[in-house]
């Protein structure tokens, strides 16, 4: 994955604004297991869509790992997000096959249509635009993935249309 | 009479092309019309260029249909299944008559992909029915010793398919020589090379073959625990692996006393990657499994001596493991019959880019690049001219057209300055700018460098800056020499393969396409008109008919004009996406 690595700060919110109860089963599952930090962070991100500051603190309390180590791991891997994301994540592939088949056009058109930069979320919170390196569907290049679904053989126009359709569906 | 079978290819690529809908349509048709045929699922057959694929097997034989959307699904079910008349024009592959695409399959030899596209990957019995888990049974039934298993792998000449090409048997021997009670076996399914999808297809299409390979490896080196490190971008592969693991446990291929052999205890679990290319490197991968930042460390000690949790660990690629059961069952000689003197067996390549038939091919080592691209791949798309092929991803290089007779084996490819890599083969045509390609890869490696080695961290950034400048028309005399200088320093001063190979795409493009660099630097021109900063799009007034196609297709509404009037491109809005140029039927758009 190749989300441009914007090193955002963990969200600082008022204590208690994040509900930590959904985290409990996860913490129980990995309690005492070595090497489970990454699955813990992945699990937390599945729950919250990103990793809130309080979750870091909680994981640190439970596992005894330093907060700085947690932050170090979370910022090393492109997958982890430290701030909230849109409801639908648009991953535009910029792998080799997609690159030589005009993947930049797809990103450029979407940036223009959504009025965001790469890595940003739209104002209405519906979409986050990201770049990834290869979704493994290179034979359909250029490719993007929206909310887990892959769309292939795109043009800029087609990509914008797909997003418009999703937006219309979401707004209804 | 056997029931007619209808099999839908549901790999990631197929699903992306709409195979899920095709499957549902056929299912609905069967119900609505109360038809008597067997509907089954399989994974990628490799002909990704004509997905969705549907195979119909009736009493006369097998017919593979390509590009079957819902409408065509109705057609083939109606004509072929109900009225027994094959729809010849949609058949892409059959033994019964000639099709234009028959040679795509006929020139292949399938060992790694022996089951992909033939079995339902979520059904262990279908794997067993094609000699699945027979290799491990052969070992336990005949009490084949650990040393003999390792010797068979050594004799087969199998070399690691993850890129390094290290002899697998030797690696196993090293790991088996270390004596401890705890040993690990890891499958590297991180497949970071952008533009490659061999491992994804293998895992999605035939997960049990990889598991069986790992189980045999575990037997040979006495490993107690296995880990599959899989990219998080491959959700379908992870899902199918999870199912396969459960089934294998139920059948006693994993767990305690495997196949009744006392003391043979082994189980496997999956670790999902978290998005870092460098984690494909074995020591970084191990750090990542341990829950750390995935940073490579110095070798020796090699993982065979001190790997996961500092215990002896054997790590191989997906394809490497998938070949093992075949070798054990068919014998080392059978495998070594294919390939060249130093590169034995077959190799899977992921064909992508500007090629007509993109997809997965498995060919004997030693076949020439030409044969792959023209015989199997059907040549270049849209009648364009073949320019170069990129092998080995960010660690590899571009091999130009005039070297396309090069045989594909580890040594010949390395001699060109590229590397064999894991099997990604991205084909480029005359419209691909090689400086832009080099910049693309450097951008990739710069972002993916873990930051440990100064030269890799900063050197790639400096190289990227120079390349960016060149593609923006700000290149200076001496830039090429400086790139080369930096390249050698990075190669020599980096700890792991990422840095050591990062400059390869730049060095090979300078070597084979120096004139393109010079055109950018000296003439401030991109000869193939890719580098956007060096271009503007304009309407040629004499040729414009005012058909409005460009204006309608422009994603950013940068083109204005009334019907039947000459149109105008507003430069400040234009994002240079090339759509107007490619859509205009009257060649009325000019690039300058
Ligand atoms: C930067 C880098 C990335 C790598 N990525 C992969 C990968 O994605 N998959 C893989 O199997 N091997 C990868 N390798 C090679 C592994 O380090 C290792 O050699 C391989 O997994 C060994 O398996 P094999 O002997 O079966 O090839 C990578 C190496 C480097 C230096
Ligand atoms: S390069 Fe885009 S899917 Fe592989």
């Amino acid at each position: 994955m190749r989300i441009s690595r914007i090193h955002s700060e963990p969200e600082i919110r008022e204590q208690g604004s994040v509900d930590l109860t959904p985290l409990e089963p996860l913490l129980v599952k990995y309690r005492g297991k070595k090497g489970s930090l990454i699955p813990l962070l992945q699990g937390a991100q599945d729950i919250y869509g990103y990793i809130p500051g309080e979750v870091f603190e909680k994981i640190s309390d439970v596992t005894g790992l330093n907060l700085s180590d947690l932050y170090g791991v979370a910022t090393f891997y492109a997958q982890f997000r430290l701030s909230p994301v849109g409801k639908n994540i648009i991953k535009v592939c910029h792998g080799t096959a997609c690159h030589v088949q005009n993947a930049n056009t797809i990103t450029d058109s979407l940036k223009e249509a959504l009025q965001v930069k790469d890595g940003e979320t739209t104002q209405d919170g519906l979409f986050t635009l990201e770049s990834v390196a290869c979704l493994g569907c290179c034979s359909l290049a250029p490719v993007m993935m929206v909310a887990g679904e892959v769309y292939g053989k795109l043009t800029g126009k087609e990509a914008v249309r797909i997003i418009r359709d999703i937006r219309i569906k979401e707004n209804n | 009479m056997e029931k007619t079978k209808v099999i839908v290819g549901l790999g990631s690529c197929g699903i992306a092309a709409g195979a899920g809908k095709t499957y549902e349509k056929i299912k609905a048709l069967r119900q609505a019309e109360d038809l008597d045929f067997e509907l089954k699922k399989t994974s990628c057959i490799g002909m990704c260029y004509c997905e969705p694929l549907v195979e119909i097997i009736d009493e006369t034989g097998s017919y593979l249909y390509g590009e079957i959307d819902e409408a065509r699904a109705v057609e083939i079910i109606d004509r072929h299944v109900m009225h027994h008349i094959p729809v010849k024009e949609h058949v892409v592959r059959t033994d019964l008559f000639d099709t234009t695409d028959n040679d795509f399959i006929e020139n292949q030899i399938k060992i790694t992909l022996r089951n992909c596209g033939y079995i339902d990957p979520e059904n262990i019995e279908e794997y067993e029915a094609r000699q699945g888990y027979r290799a491990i049974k052969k070992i336990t039934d005949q009490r084949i010793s650990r040393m003999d298993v390792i010797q068979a792998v050594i004799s087969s000449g199998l070399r690691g398919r993850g890129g390094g090409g290290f002899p697998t048997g030797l690696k196993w021997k090293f790991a088996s020589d270390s004596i401890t009670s705890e040993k690990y076996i890891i499958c590297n399914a991180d497949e970071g090379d952008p533009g490659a999808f061999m491992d994804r297809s293998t895992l999605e299409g035939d997960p049990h073959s990889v598991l069986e390979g790992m189980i045999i490896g575990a037997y040979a080196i006495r490993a107690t625990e296995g880990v599959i490190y899989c990219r998080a971008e491959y959700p379908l592969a992870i899902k199918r692996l999870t199912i396969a693991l459960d089934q294998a446990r139920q059948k006693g291929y994993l767990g305690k006393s495997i196949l009744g052999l006392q003391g043979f205890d082994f189980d496997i679990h999956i670790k999902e990657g978290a998005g870092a290319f460098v984690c494909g490197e074995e020591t970084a991968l191990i750090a990542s499994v341990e829950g750390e930042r995935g940073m490579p460390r110095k070798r020796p000690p090699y993982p065979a001596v001190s790997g996961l949790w500092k215990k002896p660990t054997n790590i191989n690629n997906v394809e490497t493991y998938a070949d093992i059961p075949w070798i054990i069952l068919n014998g080392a000689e059978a495998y070594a019959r294919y390939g060249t003197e130093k590169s034995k067996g077959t190799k899977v390549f992921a064909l992508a880019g500007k090629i007509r038939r993109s997809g997965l091919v498995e060919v004997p080592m030693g076949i020439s690049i030409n044969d792959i691209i023209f015989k199997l791949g059907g040549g270049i798309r849209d009648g364009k001219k073949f320019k170069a092929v990129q092998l080995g991803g960010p660690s590899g290089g571009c091999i130009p057209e005039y070297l396309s007779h090069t045989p594909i084996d580890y040594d010949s490819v390395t001699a060109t300055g590229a590397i064999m890599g894991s099997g990604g083969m991205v084909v480029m045509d005359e419209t691909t700018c090689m400086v832009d390609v080099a910049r693309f890869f450097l951008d990739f490696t710069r972002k993916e460098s873990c930051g440990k080695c100064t030269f890799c961290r900063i050197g790639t950034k400096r190289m990227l800056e120079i390349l960016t400048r060149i593609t923006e028309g700000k290149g200076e005399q001496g830039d090429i020499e400086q790139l080369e200088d930096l390249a050698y320093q990075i190669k020599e001063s980096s700890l792991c393969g990422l840095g050591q190979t990062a400059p390869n795409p730049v060095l090979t493009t300078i070597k084979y396409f120096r004139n393109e660099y010079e055109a950018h630097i000296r003439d401030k021109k991109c000869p193939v008109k890719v580098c956007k900063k060096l271009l503007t799009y304009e309407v040629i007034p004499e040729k414009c008919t005012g058909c409005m196609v460009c204006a309608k297709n422009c994603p950013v509404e940068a083109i204005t004009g009334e019907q039947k009037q000459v149109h105008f491109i507003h430069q400040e809005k234009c994002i240079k996406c090339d759509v107007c140029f490619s859509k205009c039927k009257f060649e009325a758009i000019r690039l300058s």
Side-chain angles (χ1 to χ4, degrees), chain A residues 1-5 7 30 33-39 41-42 46 65 68-80 91 93-113 118 131-145 148-153 155-158 160 164, chain B residues 12-13 15-17 48-49 51 182 184 192-197 200 229 231-235 271-279 284 287-295 309 351-354 358-359 381 390 393 426-428 432 436-437 440-441 443-444 447-450 532 551-557 573 575-579 583:
Chain A
M1 240 184 350
R2 201 167 51 116
I3 302 163
S4 38
R5 297 190 172 165
H7 285 240
Y30 290 107
K33 284 200 188 147
K34 57 182 180 179
S36 53
L37 175 56
I38 293 173
L41 293 175
Q42 283 169 332
D46 281 346
L65 292 165
S68 59
D69 287 338
L70 296 188
Y71 186 72
V73 168
T75 50
F76 183 83
Y77 295 98
Q79 186 185 40
F80 297 118
K91 295 180 179 177
C93 176
H94 285 263
T96 320
C98 292
H99 178 79
V100 299
Q101 289 176 85
N102 275 333
N104 284 336
T105 311
I106 314 295
T107 297
D108 288 347
S109 316
L110 290 175
K111 274 187 197 163
E112 180 75 27
D118 202 4
S131 299
V132 295
C134 198
L135 293 164
C137 297
C138 321
S139 44
L140 302 173
V143 174
M144 70 174 179
M145 189 192 256
E149 200 152 325
V150 178
Y151 301 86
K153 299 192 178 165
T155 60
K157 193 99 184 164
E158 179 71 13
V160 171
R164 271 200 198 128
Chain B
S12 279
C13 41
I15 293 172
C48 310
Y49 60 97
E51 296 273 12
E182 223 178 293
Y184 294 95
D193 170 3
F197 50 97
R200 172 183 69 72
Y229 188 88
R231 283 182 89 194
E233 284 86 346
Y234 290 172
K271 278 265 177 181
E272 257 182 66
F277 171 67
V278 70
C279 287
S288 180
V289 174
E290 291 174 353
E292 309 269 325
R293 290 165 71 98
M295 295 172 77
W309 310 115
L351 281 179
K354 310 276 180 97
S358 52
R381 215 185 285 158
Q390 214 283 341
V426 181
V427 178
M428 297 164 184
T432 314
D436 175 66
V437 168
F440 164 77
F441 280 115
D443 183 43
F444 180 88
K447 283 181 183 144
E448 296 298 344
S449 167
C450 80
K532 294 202 173 133
K552 275 194 201 125
N553 280 288
C554 177
V556 294
E557 290 163 11
K573 277 196 182 168
I575 55 168
K576 298 173 181 172
C577 68
D578 205 49
V579 163
K583 291 274 176 193

Side-chain angles (χ1 to χ4, degrees), chain B residues 145-156:
Chain B
S145 74
R146 298 167 200 282
M147 260 338 287
D148 287 347
V149 171
I150 294 174
Q151 190 51 49
V153 179
I154 293 178
S155 313
S156 73

Side-chain angles (χ1 to χ4, degrees), chain B residues 269-286:
Chain B
H269 59 268
I270 304 172
K271 278 265 177 181
E272 257 182 66
F277 171 67
V278 70
C279 287
E281 199 278 338
E282 53 191 28
T283 59
L285 188 152
I286 288 169

Side-chain angles (χ1 to χ4, degrees), chain B residues 122-155:
Chain B
E122 297 181 12
N123 186 341
I124 191 171
E125 270 129 31
E126 294 199 13
Y127 177 68
E128 287 176 322
R130 289 178 64 102
Q131 301 207 311
Y133 291 112
R134 292 279 176 79
I136 185 67
K137 272 204 189 108
K138 177 175 166 185
I139 291 172
T140 53
D141 287 352
Q142 302 178 9
R143 305 275 151 157
I144 300 177
S145 74
R146 298 167 200 282
M147 260 338 287
D148 287 347
V149 171
I150 294 174
Q151 190 51 49
V153 179
I154 293 178
S155 313

Side-chain angles (χ1 to χ4, degrees), chain B residues 75-377:
Chain B
E75 187 184 347
I76 60 168
I77 295 296
D78 176 54
R79 285 173 57 191
H80 191 153
V81 179
M82 292 169 71
H83 296 100
H84 307 285
I85 308 163
V87 192
K88 282 195 176 182
E89 62 271 29
H90 302 327
V91 175
V92 290
R93 149 92 194 141
T94 178
D95 287 331
L96 303 164
F97 48 85
D98 257 354
T99 70
T100 47
D101 295 77
N102 268 357
D103 40 353
F104 184 79
I105 301 274
E106 271 156 23
N107 290 304
Q108 300 193 43
I109 291 172
K110 300 216 173 188
I111 293 178
T112 316
L113 303 176
R114 58 195 178 277
N115 297 321
C116 286
Y118 299 102
I119 61 167
D120 178 353
E122 297 181 12
N123 186 341
I124 191 171
E125 270 129 31
E126 294 199 13
Y127 177 68
E128 287 176 322
R130 289 178 64 102
Q131 301 207 311
Y133 291 112
R134 292 279 176 79
I136 185 67
K137 272 204 189 108
K138 177 175 166 185
I139 291 172
T140 53
D141 287 352
Q142 302 178 9
R143 305 275 151 157
I144 300 177
S145 74
R146 298 167 200 282
M147 260 338 287
D148 287 347
V149 171
I150 294 174
Q151 190 51 49
V153 179
I154 293 178
S155 313
S156 73
L158 173 65
R159 292 171 68 171
R161 298 294 191 234
F166 191 81
T168 305
L170 273 186
K171 205 187 247 185
W172 286 20
K173 186 162 181 314
F174 294 145
S176 79
D177 287 346
S178 307
I179 296 164
T180 54
S181 58
E182 223 178 293
K183 267 189 210 175
Y184 294 95
I185 198 152
I186 299 181
C187 172
N188 188 340
D190 198 40
E191 194 159 64
D193 170 3
F197 50 97
M198 305 77 50
D199 295 353
R200 172 183 69 72
S201 288
T202 310
L203 292 171
E204 283 177 5
D206 192 14
H208 287 288
S209 68
V210 180
L211 300 189
E212 189 178 358
M214 290 180 75
I215 295 167
I216 295 169
Y219 172 82
I221 70 162
R222 295 175 192 267
T224 45
E225 214 182 307
V227 177
I228 301 176
Y229 188 88
C230 187
R231 283 182 89 194
E233 284 86 346
Y234 290 172
L236 189 61
I238 293 173
K239 179 182 151 217
R240 291 194 176 152
L241 272 173
T242 312
I243 296 173
L245 283 171
D246 280 342
Q247 293 174 340
R249 276 184 208 117
Q250 273 168 19
K251 290 242 176 184
Y253 298 122
L254 286 174
K256 295 244 177 275
S257 306
I258 293 173
L259 293 171
L261 197 67
Q262 277 300 316
F264 184 16
D265 305 339
F266 177 67
D267 206 341
I268 302 175
H269 59 268
I270 304 172
K271 278 265 177 181
E272 257 182 66
F277 171 67
V278 70
C279 287
E281 199 278 338
E282 53 191 28
T283 59
L285 188 152
I286 288 169
S288 180
V289 174
E290 291 174 353
E292 309 269 325
R293 290 165 71 98
M295 295 172 77
R297 61 157 178 75
K298 205 166 136 274
R299 297 176 305 177
Y302 285 91
V305 176
S306 169
L308 185 58
W309 310 115
K310 303 236 171 351
K311 301 290 181 207
T313 301
N314 178 69
I315 173 161
N316 280 124
N317 170 258
V318 170
E319 251 186 279
T320 316
Y321 284 122
D323 286 354
I324 298 284
W326 194 95
I327 292 172
I328 298 295
L329 265 186
N330 297 278
E333 302 73 38
Y335 191 79
R337 244 200 332 265
Y338 298 110
T340 64
E341 194 198 333
K342 286 191 180 149
S343 306
K344 298 289 183 203
T346 58
K347 172 84 193 83
V348 184
F349 290 96
L351 281 179
K354 310 276 180 97
I355 191 157
R356 269 195 44 224
R357 302 190 192 125
S358 52
L360 272 199
V361 296
E362 182 169 356
V363 289
M365 293 273 193
I367 187 174
S368 74
I369 295 176
N370 260 331
D371 280 354
I372 295 190
I373 293 178
F374 291 95
K375 270 205 191 135
L376 287 116

Side-chain angles (χ1 to χ4, degrees), chain B residues 439-566:
Chain B
R439 202 198 80 86
F440 164 77
F441 280 115
L442 248 285
D443 183 43
F444 180 88
T445 34
R446 182 196 62 86
K447 283 181 183 144
E448 296 298 344
S449 167
C450 80
K452 190 166 183 165
C453 308
T454 317
F455 278 84
C456 177
R457 181 179 70 238
I458 302 174
T460 52
K461 190 166 166 61
R462 291 289 98 84
M463 283 181 79
L464 177 64
E465 283 165 4
I466 298 175
L467 287 164
T468 307
R469 234 182 36 226
I470 295 176
T471 55
E472 290 179 349
K474 295 181 212 140
E476 294 159 13
Q477 282 305 321
D479 273 352
I480 298 182
E481 290 69 26
Q482 205 180 350
L483 280 174
E484 286 174 327
D485 186 38
L486 277 166
Y488 290 113
Q489 294 194 41
I490 296 170
K491 272 168 120 34
E492 273 163 29
S493 323
S494 299
L495 181 63
C496 86
L498 190 139
Q500 287 161 6
T501 58
N504 285 353
V506 181
L507 289 175
T508 52
T509 47
I510 293 180
K511 183 166 165 195
Y512 299 119
F513 299 95
R514 198 179 182 104
N515 56 345
E516 276 189 38
Y517 278 84
E518 283 167 353
H520 282 78
I521 296 172
R522 216 180 30 222
D523 312 333
K524 312 287 176 224
K525 281 207 175 93
C526 177
V528 295
K529 302 186 176 145
V530 167
C531 298
K532 294 202 173 133
K533 286 272 164 73
L534 302 176
L535 296 179
T536 48
Y537 287 75
E538 284 165 357
V539 176
I540 308 170
E542 303 81 56
K543 287 195 175 170
C544 178
T545 62
C547 71
M548 301 188 69
V549 163
C550 58
K552 275 194 201 125
N553 280 288
C554 177
V556 294
E557 290 163 11
I559 307 181
T560 53
E562 299 294 315
Q563 201 163 11
K564 303 211 170 123
Q565 302 284 315
V566 171

